[in-house]
Amino acid sequence: MSKVKDWKELTNLTQNKSLIVERVRLTESDIAIEGSFELPALAKLTLEDQVFIMAFVSTHGSIKEMEKIFGVSYPTIKGRLNKISEQLQLVDINPAPSKSDILERLNRGEITAQEAAEMLRNV
């Protein structure tokens, strides 16, 4: 429980200001790593938004369950999710292929020359 309290205090202390971590210690092995590390995007959220995201994940994304947990309406949950997603740089799960990827696929016979030409025009 003290880790949660420590995280809450750190979140309150930084007040959403930019933060760089310079030393990390692995508690089980007592190994320390020094450098300059940015916090992951989720750690930069306010404590309340972190709790909201943890609840969202624990409900497997069920907005109905979130409505019950937080006692608010569907639009309120959606609005909060939209606000949080704007703060996160989301990963592109379908990036455009590179020129070399297209040419490799053509070479392997996975696509036709016409398909490759069309794809290369869009790169």
Side-chain angles (χ1 to χ4, degrees):
M1 190 66 171
S2 70
K3 289 181 183 180
V4 172
K5 183 180 176 199
D6 291 345
W7 188 255
K8 184 176 181 180
E9 288 177 10
L10 178 63
T11 303
N12 289 336
L13 178 69
T14 60
Q15 298 178 356
N16 292 336
K17 294 181 181 130
S18 185
L19 169 70
I20 298 291
V21 176
E22 294 184 345
R23 187 166 193 262
V24 176
R25 185 175 57 85
L26 306 172
T27 55
E28 291 179 8
S29 62
D30 208 31
I31 294 174
I33 303 168
E34 293 190 21
S36 183
F37 312 97
E38 253 190 80
L39 290 177
L42 290 173
K44 294 178 184 178
L45 295 174
T46 66
L47 182 63
E48 292 78 18
D49 285 346
Q50 290 176 31
V51 168
F52 188 84
I53 292 301
M54 290 190 314
F56 187 72
V57 170
S58 71
T59 64
H60 305 281
S62 169
I63 293 180
K64 281 195 175 292
E65 285 299 312
M66 294 291 287
E67 288 176 290
K68 291 177 188 173
I69 291 170
F70 290 98
V72 296
S73 67
Y74 178 93
T76 303
I77 298 293
K78 287 295 285 185
R80 181 91 179 262
L81 286 170
N82 289 335
K83 178 184 125 329
I84 293 170
S85 70
E86 288 171 2
Q87 298 174 59
L88 302 174
Q89 185 177 16
L90 301 178
V91 176
D92 187 359
I93 59 171
N94 195 15
S98 67
K99 290 180 182 180
S100 62
D101 290 338
I102 295 167
L103 295 175
E104 286 176 20
R105 289 184 64 201
L106 175 63
N107 192 41
R108 290 191 302 261
E110 295 175 5
I111 57 175
T112 67
Q114 184 177 0
E115 289 170 324
E118 180 64 31
M119 292 171 80
L120 287 168
R121 277 192 284 275
N122 296 325
V123 174

